[in-house]
Amino acid sequence: MSATAAMKSDPKKRAQIVVVGAGFAGLSAVKALAKTDADVTLIDRRNHHLFQPLLYQVATAALAPNQIASPIRSIVRRQRNTSVILEEALGIDREAREVILRDRAIPYDFLVLATGARHAYFGNDTWEDHAPGLKALEDANAIRENILLAFERAELAPSGPVRDQALTFVIVGGGPTGVELAGAIAELSKRALACDFRHTRCSDPHVILIEAGQRLLPSFSPKISLYALESLMKRGVDVRLGTPVSEIAEKRLAVGDETINADTIIWAAGVRASPVAEWLGSKKDRAGRAEVRDNLSIENAPEIFVIGDTASAASPDGKQVPGLAPAAKQQGAYVGEVIANRLAGKPAPPPFRYMDFGSLATIGRNDAVAEFGGVKLTGFLAWLFWCVIHIYFLIGFRNRILVTLDWMWSYVTLERGARLITESVGSEEGAPAAASRLMPIAAE
Amino acid sequence: MSATAAMKSDPKKRAQIVVVGAGFAGLSAVKALAKTDADVTLIDRRNHHLFQPLLYQVATAALAPNQIASPIRSIVRRQRNTSVILEEALGIDREAREVILRDRAIPYDFLVLATGARHAYFGNDTWEDHAPGLKALEDANAIRENILLAFERAELAPSGPVRDQALTFVIVGGGPTGVELAGAIAELSKRALACDFRHTRCSDPHVILIEAGQRLLPSFSPKISLYALESLMKRGVDVRLGTPVSEIAEKRLAVGDETINADTIIWAAGVRASPVAEWLGSKKDRAGRAEVRDNLSIENAPEIFVIGDTASAASPDGKQVPGLAPAAKQQGAYVGEVIANRLAGKPAPPPFRYMDFGSLATIGRNDAVAEFGGVKLTGFLAWLFWCVIHIYFLIGFRNRILVTLDWMWSYVTLERGARLITESVGSEEGAPAAASRLMPIAAE
């Protein structure tokens, strides 16, 4: 008996739609279900939706965490058929049709899984401790505090390897995240920070961007890749192409025959899907993403949909749907329509087709690259375009105003407003964490 | 040989002035020394100056942490004779004239100690674990996350004692901090939050303000105290006067014969000075504050000054200088002048005299109390006055704009913008802290 049939047999029972994950995909599915005569339950283990495309700005002290995060409850407040559960989904019981939480289970008639992705270290899981990635606000906070504390360490250290290591920042991975991080760290360290210190000059910080492939931004055209390379070099970033990383240890990284000592190593070289395919026992691709049919449901389960970064979907033309925010949103809206139509007895929409509106990546102040259709934009115009798009899509009117103001401020003054190290370096509170991070650690 | 004499004997050596603590007092001393021909070193264990009067707004999700904190390095960037050290001062070597840090010592000719105060539990130190106070950003972040998670717990719990306990918020201490916290938590819980939940009504949260004395705001006039009491009661705060706390344990508090079960207990009943008097081996008062002479230096050491919340000073009229931001700033400026004059060979300024510009406390939206000279203000006018004063004194033009906007936004929409729980409730990251805090804990 199908989910729809089950419901029809008991007309008094409203359909239970459960959405797991309040990222772009999940939230957009929930919104598409606003008018449906069903109970929608949104489960997330965080209380906020995160505007991930700007996360690197939190990591580089340009924006404060709350400027790119909105409480999920506020976002769906006016959607009366929807309730929110702040808990972690631990698995799916397909027989019982339940999502398993820690101490209870949530029954579903329709299930939408949008649990996203984390970093992937290609089998070198120990690297994660030494080269954290950037996916959640905690990651961004930790990276920001690391960078700021590295400058404090350098200020205390005499010239020499300890000081050089503190002022060396390595980003692994030359995709959009890596390029944006490298550009932003170069700006932060060489402009906003250096002049606040007495013993650190603007030329001291050393920002290295490492890419295994032969060009940056491989998803863009080669011309754009070249532009990004030249732009980063102009900003003082030391870009190494065709340089696979062979080892990452504490504050140390091996590329080819060379060892680079750096207090700050950031991983931007790949992601791994959350374990939805394991939960479902369904087919997955090499990146661990659950393979879905052309309506984004999984094989033999028309009531279970997988969307966003944890889904492996293809458009009817055979093109793989990329792991980008616009794709996630489109999938969410599509699945909402599929479910709404099925509940209303309307015909199913045509197979999901990803609308590619182009790609964007920013390199720094006044500088970005954009590619849509055949049009390529670089430099200031692309940067303006990038600003407008990102402000437009930031959730909530309030965030838009605040972020716009912050950007305008940073632009005019070159200042970074969100340079908070929350931890104290003291031991009074019994928390020596930051203190030990301040200690110069001898290079081996 | 006095410090000045020592310098005069070696004209090439610039005087070394060390200021410990970058609160209102320390920072204002540093600023007053901007034009002095001396090296000024500012030591703090945090990288930011905190605008403490608005800390309760971070604790109640109205403002984000970075809106009331500025990087110390940015504040003194243009003051070329000043350098900043991010480390904790551990003591003073008066013989060697050095401030002791963890792995080195900073020599001084003049020393200004402005290390502030922490909470005092009147000998019941175990209470601190169960009823944290509000002094640093971490405290505010922890309290905010506690309040938000309590609402999440209540939403999951069935009616009964577990749910009631989650929605009970106790503030101990009826001074300005206690009153401001009680008003803000009532507003947050009964207005901004309650409508975001499906199973929690506006009348459910129970905010209790406990004061041992017979009236709120004892530093104000009785008429103002009465006004504050009535205002808080109108806002649904359960105020208990003449009610000393006899015991605080985990999520439980005893007052008289009554036991109150509450997930959130906040301490606002007293502060204790940082251990400057112990460092110096100097006289101290009952609150642990170092006793200073009429020029704010300590006995037998004209080169050592103690200012701010850690000093016990009296104006020439015998009145004790209160532990307020304006007093701290005035002391800092005064000590700067004393040192500058001494270095320049000018006569010393007259003894320090605290200029009392009045007291202010806010109760909530549209409502505050103010008292200056013989003038008493209450209600909307006092609140407007409070807003203007606080925005004016917020450090940095940028923070002023952002805070003003945030307040305007909250005022118009009743929303709270800074409702971040940074931690995930999941266990994936190996951090079950928030998860366990989400679990309903049975009332004993």
Side-chain angles (χ1 to χ4, degrees), chain A residues 148-233:
Chain A
L148 296 178
L149 285 170
F151 268 84
E152 299 287 344
R153 268 195 306 270
E155 182 80 354
L156 296 180
S159 308
V162 171
R163 193 154 180 288
D164 294 346
Q165 175 175 320
L167 290 177
T168 303
F169 305 91
V170 179
I171 300 103
V172 183
T177 305
V179 166
E180 292 180 330
L181 267 173
I185 292 178
E187 229 163 55
L188 168 71
S189 60
K190 289 172 178 290
R191 298 223 215 170
L193 275 183
C195 50
D196 276 6
F197 289 82
R198 296 286 176 254
H199 308 296
T200 306
R201 284 183 313 264
C202 297
S203 55
D204 291 349
H206 188 190
V207 182
I208 307 175
L209 176 61
I210 293 177
E211 163 61 36
Q214 291 305 321
R215 61 182 178 106
L216 298 175
L217 302 175
S219 61
F220 288 75
S221 69
K223 207 181 129 191
I224 294 275
S225 300
L226 192 63
Y227 178 85
L229 174 65
E230 285 169 354
S231 267
L232 284 177
M233 284 167 65

Side-chain angles (χ1 to χ4, degrees), chain A residues 37 58 67 75 83 89 102 181 271 279 285 375 433 443:
Chain A
D37 182 29
V58 174
Q67 291 181 319
I75 298 172
S83 56
R102 202 152 36 107
L181 267 173
V271 294
W279 291 354
D285 70 3
V375 182

